[in-house]
Amino acid sequence: MFKQIVTLIRGRAHEAEEAFGDRHALPILAQQIRDAARGVESARRAVALAIAQNRLEKENAERLSARIDDLETRAIAALEKGREDLATEAAASIARLETELLNARQVQAEFTDGIDRLRQAVRQSETRLAALRRGERLAEARDRTRRLSRDVPGNDLATLSDAEATLARLETRQREAELTAEALVELEDRPDPTALAEKLAAAGCGRPLVTSAEDVLERLRAKANPTL
């Protein structure tokens, strides 16, 4: 029984740990990426330091080689002059310098191989870091979208639909008003047939539309003097 309780506690602790990690996944990821970025930067500095040390070893090897060449030339000159003692001393120095040169070249070769491996490792780390940063940005965008969908309740979504419908009706009414105003302008611009007929009649074109007083007087005269 006690073993089962311990197992249950461990299981609950594991679930709590996973739940905590899920809730804070983005901040944890961001910190991990920052840590990784510092690690990549440290590795880059280590490569730069190794390159600098390799160049120093190369310069040292070049100096040793130049000293050896100079001593050999001088030792040969000493032999030509019969100075075996000087030639022997020069030979001992040349042997010591050649040992140093051999060691310097071995160190330089090791540096060269190590630098190539470090450069490759840094390039791979930089590529992975860039992929992590792209993934982080994508995860942040997805999380914001998820939180937006979660935080907007169904009633609010319905309100959005209602607002869209209201806007559509308003736009329809506004368009109807615009078309009505345009039609009224067109009607006002058209000539009135009645007014046009009156205008033509007043100008003596066709039968008068309105009986004048003179016409009435002439008619009365005709009735008063039917014999005329």
Side-chain angles (χ1 to χ4, degrees), residues 137-150:
R137 291 193 294 270
L138 181 59
E140 287 178 350
R142 287 174 175 170
D143 185 68
R144 289 175 183 174
T145 303
R146 180 185 60 81
R147 284 190 281 110
L148 178 62
S149 301
R150 180 195 62 196

Side-chain angles (χ1 to χ4, degrees), residues 97-127:
L97 291 174
E98 286 181 346
T99 301
E100 292 182 11
L101 177 60
L102 179 61
N103 292 333
R105 286 175 176 172
Q106 288 177 349
V107 171
Q108 184 182 355
E110 292 176 359
F111 265 121
T112 301
D113 294 339
I115 288 170
D116 291 339
R117 290 193 299 270
L118 286 173
R119 278 177 170 170
Q120 184 177 0
V122 169
R123 283 194 296 267
Q124 291 176 351
S125 298
E126 289 174 343
T127 300

Side-chain angles (χ1 to χ4, degrees), residues 37-110:
R38 285 194 291 269
V40 171
E41 183 62 26
S42 298
R44 191 183 290 112
R45 290 197 186 96
V47 172
L49 179 60
I51 291 174
Q53 291 175 343
N54 187 42
R55 289 175 180 173
L56 289 176
E57 290 296 333
K58 182 178 180 180
E59 292 174 358
N60 184 41
E62 291 174 352
R63 285 194 299 270
L64 290 173
S65 180
R67 290 177 64 188
I68 289 171
D69 292 340
D70 179 67
L71 284 175
E72 285 183 349
T73 300
R74 296 179 186 279
I76 292 171
L79 289 173
E80 290 174 350
K81 291 183 178 183
R83 296 295 305 269
E84 290 286 341
D85 56 334
L86 293 176
T88 301
E89 186 177 353
S93 295
I94 291 172
R96 179 178 55 81
L97 291 174
E98 286 181 346
T99 301
E100 292 182 11
L101 177 60
L102 179 61
N103 292 333
R105 286 175 176 172
Q106 288 177 349
V107 171
Q108 184 182 355
E110 292 176 359

Side-chain angles (χ1 to χ4, degrees), residues 31-41 125 129 132-133:
Q31 184 59 45
Q32 289 173 337
I33 290 176
R34 286 191 290 270
D35 293 341
R38 285 194 291 269
V40 171
E41 183 62 26
S125 298
L129 180 61
L132 279 172
R133 284 173 170 164

